[in-house]
Amino acid sequence: MMDKPWNNRAWLFVVPVLVVVLFSSLIPMMTVVNYSVQDTMGQNNFFWNGVAWFQGLLDPTSDIGGRFASALVRNLIFSIVILCLELPLGIAVALCIPKQGWKVGASLVLIALPLLIPWTVVGTIWQIFARQDIGLLGAALNAIGIHYNDTQDPTSAWATIVIMDVWHWTGMIALLSYAGLKAIPDAFYQAARIDGASRWSVFRNIELPKLQKVLVIAVLLRFMESFMIYTEPSVVTGGGPGEATSFLSLDLVKIALGQVDLGNAAAMSIVYYLITLTICYVFFTIMTQLDQRKGV
Amino acid sequence: MASITLDHIAHAYPGAPGAAPHYALKPINHVWQNGRAYALLGPSGCGKTTLLNIISGLVIPSEGRLLFDTADVTRLPTEKRNIAQVFQFPVIYDTMTVAENLAFPLKNRGMEKGAIKRRVDEIAELLDLKPVLGRRARGLTADAKQKISLGRGLVRSDVSAVLFDEPLTVIDPALKWELRSKLKSVHQALDLLMIYVTHDQVEALTFADEVVVMKDGAVLQIGTPAELFERPAHSFVGYFIGSPGMNFLPATVAGHEANVAGTVFDLGARYATPANAGKIEIGFRPDYATLHETGGIPVRVLKVEDLGRRRLARISVGGQEAIATLAHEADLSPGDTAGLIIEPGHLHLFVDDLRVEGERA
């Protein structure tokens, strides 16, 4: 008997997944693709517009192109700034977590606390915290003579958003690093002592290399999340003052829902999506290569 | 290079205050000579790793002094002692090349560059690491990594002792033999004091000049492999060393003779009847007890195992079970009666687990 038994039961398992994917991603995405190649004069009449929306979007000299480019640059700067702050800070916090006793649990809970707060609540906390009249931070800073106004001064607004993000997410990097540090066998530390290595050398030659994989994941998670940040700045600054904190998502929502400029918004969504996808792919490649090098 | 003196060393991990100390390592008093190889042998939890950690400085003993030559190092931190240690799992610095790994301890001690290079080359030569010096250490096989960790210890010319903590655990069986003989040749070339922890008797017996057998935190016997085999000081040593281990049969003793439930063994020496002794046993190794079709002490064959090179029989003697070697010409099968002959001088008497010497006539 060479024939395989013919059995269609597998479809029972595959079809539900396909249906869910169809409705959750493919159809909405195709709608966006549809909008991105058409224009309308209203009354729900659409006509073919080719790649004109994309041309405009990717041409920095046009209105929409310039707006997109500056939002993109702003967002990239934001992501890089928070990574530069959160990564070293997270590792430092992880190194300071006690090694044993009840203090371990206590520190882990405290570190994880900001991660458990819903995004809008984080935004609200910091919005109130930053107010010049009743906010602890805003009022205190102004009282000691530092000019601080997150609704009018771009520097204040940026500082607030950045510090808020650091407060919100450093804990995640700390927890990931802590897990990575825990996985290092004691023998490595003992060997380093026998070899006469300094504390810095232990960090540089043992801890950091062993954390490498965990940190790549941490950078990926933090980069993607900050690249798509919406809720917190939307609550705290609403993208202002002016355009100062209008990151990609905020700008996209303004164009799509504020100005109902569907063609531009759809084109922007797709380009935004492709950028995100590319960066993800790069990180994925790095991670698999790290795995393979380890495996040799 | 130095000798190591264990001056009444003992260790108890802190327990409830006021309670009698529970020793992880019972008091031991011994001198380890420079240039010799010692093995600490015993089952898991016997205290051998505690003893090793005391020497390396990872554990400070609760009692006694540790001397390297004449210097008291009991409380000296690990990095101040001139020891090298090879761990159970290879410890290498992932991001460095093999050469950088070997140079690391010297660099940390501020040695001059040219001298480091010369010394690294020397050690690499000794360990056959020359061809891979420029390679990343992380890509190498487990046995090469173990050689690197060994090399990192040996690279310091002032090293007093090299400690091995079950270093062959993760090595392929085929490579084990090779690495072990490498260790031996390094030992001969460098004339160092080496201490090797293991629970594998073959490793201990082939590696060491002297073996320290431990159990439950106590040292039972220190001796050459031959001494442990021929004259075990403790019944545990007899049982633990050798495969299969020594046979023990409860007996009563009068003069030259031991009586195991009616079967009489000639001890070959006079023993004073031990006064108020608890447990009295005779012990003999299967290797020195041959089973013949006739003659000797009458026993019954229970089971015969053919190991290829030799045949072992499980026998019943005076109602007790024991193991003996079948003589070449003997054709015996389960149920047969046979004669057991024990080579003179290989029947021992143990009182309360300790071997006692008789007066040979």
Side-chain angles (χ1 to χ4, degrees):
Chain A
M1 286 286 276
M2 293 297 288
D3 308 43
K4 281 187 186 167
W6 189 249
N7 191 338
N8 277 323
R9 217 184 302 164
W11 288 106
L12 269 176
F13 299 100
V14 176
V15 167
V17 177
L18 286 179
V19 170
V20 168
V21 169
L22 198 67
F23 281 93
S24 71
S25 357
L26 284 178
I27 294 178
M29 182 126 166
M30 280 308 120
T31 321
V32 174
V33 171
N34 202 22
Y35 281 135
S36 75
V37 290
Q38 298 191 62
D39 199 356
T40 177
M41 294 298 183
Q43 270 91 43
N44 229 9
N45 291 322
F46 286 87
F47 52 87
W48 179 252
N49 195 25
V51 292
W53 295 124
F54 290 96
Q55 276 171 337
L57 191 74
L58 298 176
D59 173 13
T61 55
S62 71
D63 267 0
I64 184 72
R67 187 171 166 179
F68 177 66
S70 54
L72 179 63
V73 168
R74 210 177 285 133
N75 210 151
L76 283 173
I77 293 175
F78 174 72
S79 292
I80 290 166
V81 166
I82 62 109
L83 274 177
C84 288
L85 290 173
E86 288 173 15
L87 213 55
L89 200 59
I91 297 171
V93 170
L95 287 171
C96 294
I97 294 175
K99 298 279 176 280
Q100 52 198 354
W102 60 271
K103 287 180 189 157
V104 182
S107 350
L108 291 181
V109 169
L110 280 178
I111 291 167
L113 223 46
L115 300 173
L116 305 175
I117 302 174
W119 278 251
T120 39
V121 178
V122 171
T124 312
I125 290 172
W126 281 80
Q127 201 264 334
I128 296 170
F129 192 44
R131 277 176 66 161
Q132 288 83 64
D133 47 357
I134 57 164
L136 190 59
L137 175 73
L141 282 177
N142 282 302
I144 59 168
I146 297 169
H147 174 69
Y148 172 87
N149 188 333
D150 69 318
T151 52
Q152 280 167 24
D153 171 27
T155 317
S156 304
W158 262 80
T160 313
I161 303 282
V162 166
I163 294 171
M164 172 179 68
D165 199 82
V166 169
W167 175 82
H168 194 179
W169 290 109
T170 302
M172 186 187 75
I173 295 186
L175 291 180
L176 282 171
S177 309
Y178 176 72
L181 287 172
K182 283 292 258 190
I184 302 176
D186 265 351
F188 280 86
Y189 294 105
Q190 294 169 6
R193 282 183 63 187
I194 290 170
D195 291 339
S198 61
R199 182 69 190 87
W200 166 251
S201 184
V202 168
F203 176 69
R204 173 71 194 73
N205 295 306
I206 296 174
E207 290 171 333
L208 208 51
K210 297 268 172 217
L211 284 181
Q212 197 180 37
K213 274 177 76 178
V214 168
L215 290 180
V216 172
I217 292 169
V219 169
L220 172 67
L221 290 175
R222 279 316 300 133
F223 184 87
M224 295 328 289
E225 206 279 334
S226 64
F227 197 63
M228 301 187 289
I229 191 168
Y230 176 79
T231 317
E232 300 106 304
S234 146
V235 175
V236 178
T237 64
E243 297 286 296
T245 54
S246 279
F247 302 120
L248 281 171
S249 286
L250 282 117
D251 219 25
L252 181 59
V253 170
K254 273 188 216 165
I255 295 169
L257 303 180
Q259 298 158 223
V260 205
D261 190 348
L262 292 180
N264 273 322
M268 191 168 160
S269 301
I270 287 171
V271 174
Y272 191 2
Y273 172 67
L274 289 178
I275 295 173
T276 316
L277 202 65
T278 312
I279 295 170
C280 261
Y281 177 75
V282 169
F283 272 103
F284 180 75
T285 315
I286 294 175
M287 275 198 284
T288 40
Q289 274 183 352
L290 280 181
D291 269 353
Q292 275 166 0
R293 261 202 297 169
K294 282 261 157 65
V296 171
Chain B
M1 276 174 245
S3 60
I4 294 182
T5 308
L6 306 168
D7 182 9
H8 299 94
I9 292 273
H11 188 68
Y13 288 103
H22 176 75
Y23 285 112
L25 182 68
K26 288 174 187 146
I28 156 169
N29 200 19
H30 194 69
V31 178
W32 282 333
Q33 301 293 345
N34 180 35
R36 287 175 72 80
Y38 295 87
L40 303 181
L41 177 66
S44 308
C46 70
K48 55 192 194 294
T49 300
T50 305
L51 182 53
L52 196 75
N53 286 341
I54 286 174
I55 296 164
S56 68
L58 298 169
V59 171
I60 306 284
S62 53
E63 291 166 31
R65 292 188 314 150
L66 180 69
L67 307 178
F68 284 9
D69 278 337
T70 51
D72 186 341
V73 298
T74 319
R75 269 153 221 296
L76 225 52
T78 303
E79 54 273 27
K80 294 268 171 64
R81 304 178 184 198
N82 295 321
I83 46 125
Q85 187 162 356
V86 180
F87 296 88
Q88 199 165 2
F89 300 97
V91 174
I92 49 145
Y93 302 103
D94 280 345
T95 48
M96 301 185 194
T97 64
V98 174
E100 284 165 343
N101 258 285
L102 293 177
F104 190 63
L106 301 179
K107 229 171 88 188
N108 288 331
R109 284 169 176 79
M111 203 165 148
E112 174 260 320
K113 266 211 172 104
I116 292 184
K117 189 168 172 354
R118 276 197 302 282
R119 185 70 187 154
V120 166
D121 279 344
E122 239 174 85
I123 294 298
E125 184 78 62
L126 185 71
L127 293 172
D128 300 331
L129 286 171
K130 267 254 151 116
V132 293
L133 269 183
R135 282 193 38 197
R136 280 281 165 115
R138 111 161 105 200
L140 300 174
T141 54
D143 64 309
K145 286 181 181 173
Q146 279 302 43
K147 281 204 264 185
I148 296 171
S149 14
L150 172 62
R152 270 208 325 272
L154 298 177
V155 78
R156 281 153 45 203
S157 51
D158 59 351
V159 69
S160 352
V162 188
L163 314 181
F164 297 91
D165 190 358
E166 313 214 10
L168 300 182
T169 313
V170 294
I171 309 293
D172 261 7
L175 290 168
K176 262 187 191 177
W177 180 257
E178 205 174 305
L179 193 56
R180 204 187 311 147
S181 55
K182 190 86 239 168
L183 293 182
K184 270 236 133 173
S185 67
V186 165
H187 180 225
Q188 275 148 15
L190 295 182
D191 192 31
L192 285 166
L193 169 55
M194 291 194 170
I195 300 169
Y196 192 107
V197 163
T198 181
H199 60 259
D200 179 339
Q201 52 163 313
V202 179
E203 264 177 42
L205 299 176
T206 52
F207 174 81
D209 301 319
E210 267 184 71
V211 179
V212 180
V213 183
M214 299 182 68
K215 194 199 171 205
D216 297 335
V219 172
L220 298 181
Q221 187 173 8
I222 301 175
T224 63
E227 280 168 5
L228 297 182
F229 197 75
E230 310 277 337
R231 288 184 299 283
H234 190 279
S235 60
F236 177 78
V237 178
Y239 153 82
F240 194 67
I241 305 253
S243 174
M246 196 174 242
N247 296 303
F248 292 98
L249 305 172
T252 53
V253 173
H256 277 274
E257 290 179 339
N259 190 324
V260 179
T263 311
V264 174
F265 286 75
D266 180 7
L267 289 168
R270 263 195 76 78
Y271 289 86
T273 311
N276 64 34
K279 193 169 65 167
I280 302 176
E281 286 168 315
I282 55 167
F284 59 91
R285 291 204 175 273
D287 314 71
Y288 296 122
T290 45
L291 212 53
H292 300 264
E293 285 176 32
T294 51
I297 303 156
V299 298
R300 204 159 55 80
V301 180
L302 298 175
K303 199 172 155 195
V304 175
E305 285 171 45
D306 193 343
L307 303 182
R309 207 163 50 79
R310 59 175 179 161
R311 288 178 298 162
L312 292 179
R314 193 169 283 278
I315 54 173
S316 165
V317 44
Q320 303 287 324
E321 278 193 25
I323 295 175
T325 311
L326 245 67
H328 269 299
E329 72 289 351
D331 179 21
L332 293 164
S333 42
D336 292 352
T337 6
L340 179 70
I341 295 176
I342 297 171
E343 279 181 42
H346 287 287
L347 185 61
H348 309 285
L349 186 69
F350 293 86
V351 176
D352 283 336
D353 286 330
L354 294 175
R355 182 172 167 274
V356 284
E357 197 75 53
E359 296 165 33
R360 305 218 172 252

